[in-house]
Amino acid sequence: MTTPDFEDLLRKASLRVTRPRLAVLGAVHDHPHADTDTVIGQVRAGLGAVSHQAVYDVLRVLTDAGLVRRIQPAGATARYEARVGDNHHHVVCRTCGAIEDVDCAVGQSPCLTASDDHGFSLDEAEVVYWGTCPDCSTAPTAANATLEGTR
């Protein structure tokens, strides 16, 4: 997306267009599943001195407005993504922490049927798949490297 597209997104969400908001939107769009440190680094690369708090505030405003999505797999830091408005899930590598999107297997939300919804009106199902990414699966482990070195 381009800056005019980001400006339009902000205006449609009834938000003022500011340089920090544009920079944060750009960072999240360019770096899917970025943590706050990555977003801060990207924003500072484009704008110069911007406080951590300013970036945190913008991320909160954009999340509240539905322009970005905050995800936080168990044991991981919060990540932000620009893919909003659908019911996709995530796969997370237990070794390196890489995160990828996984489309819902059934369709629009909720894609899972709860065994008992306890009277809730369900509108979203969040699933996190855990495993090992292809890079980590094929990387030699320290133990294997030691064993191979003694042969």
Side-chain angles (χ1 to χ4, degrees), residues 19-29 39 43 54-55 58-59 62 68:
R19 291 178 66 225
R21 287 178 180 171
L22 291 171
V24 169
L25 270 175
V28 173
H29 276 265
V39 174
V43 169
V55 173
V58 170
L59 284 168
L62 296 177
V68 300

Side-chain angles (χ1 to χ4, degrees), residues 62-151:
L62 296 177
T63 300
D64 290 348
L67 298 179
V68 300
R69 180 178 175 194
R70 181 182 189 271
I71 61 169
Q72 189 167 7
T77 60
R79 305 292 182 102
Y80 295 87
E81 64 181 350
R83 186 175 171 186
V84 297
D86 67 352
N87 194 37
H88 73 279
H89 306 300
H90 298 94
V91 60
V92 180
C93 179
R94 289 185 191 279
T95 304
C96 70
I99 300 175
E100 295 294 334
D101 291 335
V102 177
D103 289 329
C104 182
V106 176
Q108 294 299 87
S109 63
C111 71
L112 298 180
T113 302
S115 61
D116 184 350
D117 64 17
H118 297 278
F120 283 64
S121 175
L122 302 177
D123 60 15
E124 182 178 4
E126 187 168 317
V127 174
V128 177
Y129 300 97
W130 293 89
T132 307
C133 72
D135 289 342
C136 292
S137 293
T138 59
T141 63
N144 288 343
T146 302
L147 288 175
E148 289 175 11
T150 60
R151 289 185 187 166

Side-chain angles (χ1 to χ4, degrees), residues 29-63:
H29 276 265
D30 291 345
H31 302 277
H33 310 119
D35 61 12
T36 52
D37 287 340
T38 300
V39 174
I40 289 167
Q42 292 299 308
V43 169
R44 286 182 175 166
L47 295 182
V50 177
S51 72
H52 279 75
Q53 191 60 51
V55 173
Y56 284 121
D57 290 345
V58 170
L59 284 168
R60 183 184 42 75
V61 166
L62 296 177
T63 300

